[in-house]
């Protein structure tokens, strides 16, 4: 095992906030206790908040913090999507960490940014498959943000191909599929489209404004 990998593994072991003996860590990583002592000295010297001493044990004493960051809209979307994917991991610690991270990000965003982001951000649901529907994501996301109507060519569950003009409102992640909630002008009602069944998605020059009864807040599944 490379030393950098071992240092990373040590941090993962210490993340639970409990006291860990060097001997136990050494046995777990199949190295000598002396090696763990040296690694702990390295972590402490590099600024990782590890405290302890030889013969007693080691623990992380505080959360690892990051300096303030300024994110673009696209970076925020990428972060949100990454969190959604990790939140579906089988590892319960990773899932918990992803959901906690999402809460922390929301907590520091300006209120206006949160309100705008709610329309396009990816909701998290079980058994998500990140690969579904990616080809149409840029068009759909841009249209939701700009409140721009779309013309969809869509294959229904009955294998019927239809063309719809819609007002895209919200995207969500459901058991291995992406869905797009929209106001369908042909049906004069809300409709939920499976993104993987969309054949084409064309942005129209016509924009729309929120109208009572036609917003995502009015949608009741």
């Amino acid at each position: 095992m490379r030393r950098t990998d071992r240092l990373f593994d040590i941090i993962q072991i210490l993340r639970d906030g409990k006291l860990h003996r060097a001997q136990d860590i050494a046995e777990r990583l199949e190295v000598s206790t002396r090696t763990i002592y040296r690694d702990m000295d390295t972590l402490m010297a590099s600024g990782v908040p590890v405290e302890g001493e030889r013969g007693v044990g080691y623990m992380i004493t505080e959360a690892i913090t990051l300096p303030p960051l300024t994110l673009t809209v696209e970076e925020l979307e990428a972060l949100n999507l990454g969190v959604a994917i990790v939140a579906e991991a089988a590892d319960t610690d990773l899932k918990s960490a992803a959901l906690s991270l999402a809460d922390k990000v929301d907590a520091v965003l300006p209120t206006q940014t949160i309100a705008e982001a709610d329309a396009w951000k990816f909701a998290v649901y079980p058994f998500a498959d990140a690969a579904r529907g990616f080809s149409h994501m840029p068009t759909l996301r841009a249209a939701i943000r700009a409140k721009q109507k779309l013309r969809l060519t869509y294959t229904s569950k009955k294998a019927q191909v239809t063309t719809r003009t819609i007002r895209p409102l919200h995207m969500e992640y459901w058991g291995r599929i992406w869905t797009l909630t929209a106001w369908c002008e042909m049906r004069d009602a809300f409709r939920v489209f499976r993104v993987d069944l969309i054949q084409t998605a064309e942005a129209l020059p016509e924009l729309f404004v929120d109208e009572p009864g036609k917003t995502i807040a009015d949608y009741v599944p």
Side-chain angles (χ1 to χ4, degrees):
M1 176 185 293
R2 295 182 306 170
R3 191 178 189 216
T4 53
D5 294 334
R6 188 174 65 250
L7 292 174
F8 177 80
D9 287 344
I10 291 173
I11 292 175
Q12 303 313 302
I13 292 172
L14 298 178
R15 280 179 59 188
D16 61 6
K18 299 178 181 179
L19 187 68
H20 293 268
R21 297 190 309 161
Q23 180 180 350
D24 296 331
I25 298 174
E27 292 177 357
R28 185 167 172 177
L29 300 182
E30 300 181 345
V31 295
S32 69
T33 302
R34 181 177 298 179
T35 295
I36 297 301
Y37 287 151
R38 289 198 299 266
D39 288 343
M40 290 301 181
D41 291 340
T42 298
L43 291 174
M44 292 179 184
S46 65
V48 177
V50 174
E51 287 189 1
E53 58 182 274
R54 300 182 181 188
V56 177
Y58 299 88
M59 63 186 298
I60 287 183
T61 57
E62 60 184 63
I64 299 175
T65 59
L66 295 174
L69 298 174
T70 301
L71 302 180
T72 66
V73 173
E74 290 75 15
E75 288 170 341
L76 182 59
E77 290 188 56
L79 175 60
N80 191 67
L81 176 57
V83 168
I85 294 171
V86 174
E88 302 310 322
D91 188 313
T92 55
D93 289 340
L94 280 179
K95 175 177 289 201
S96 176
L99 296 177
S100 175
L101 175 59
D103 290 339
K104 290 178 181 179
V105 171
D106 283 346
V108 298
L109 287 177
T111 302
Q112 180 180 359
T113 302
I114 295 175
E116 294 172 350
D118 278 340
W120 53 258
K121 72 178 182 180
F122 300 98
V124 180
Y125 294 93
F127 314 113
D129 180 349
R132 299 296 290 269
F134 272 11
S135 62
H136 298 298
M137 293 298 185
T139 300
L140 301 182
R141 289 188 293 109
I144 291 172
R145 287 201 307 269
K147 295 185 182 297
Q148 187 171 18
K149 292 185 180 182
L150 293 174
R151 180 181 292 116
L152 299 185
T153 302
Y154 185 76
T155 304
S156 69
K157 293 181 181 179
K158 297 180 180 180
Q160 297 176 334
V161 178
T162 62
T163 299
R164 311 282 187 93
T165 298
I166 66 166
R167 301 181 179 194
L169 301 174
H170 186 59
M171 294 182 68
E172 294 180 311
Y173 225 179
W174 300 90
R176 299 180 181 173
I177 61 171
W178 293 94
T179 62
L180 170 68
T181 302
W183 178 264
C184 178
E185 298 196 343
M186 184 175 75
R187 300 297 184 188
D188 197 29
F190 290 105
R191 287 292 184 268
V192 177
F193 300 93
R194 279 181 49 174
V195 175
D196 61 309
L197 297 181
I198 296 175
Q199 293 187 7
T200 63
E202 176 189 358
L204 300 177
E206 184 179 358
L207 303 180
F208 65 89
V209 296
D210 290 336
E211 297 179 29
K214 297 182 180 181
T215 69
I216 189 62
D218 299 310
Y219 175 67
V220 180

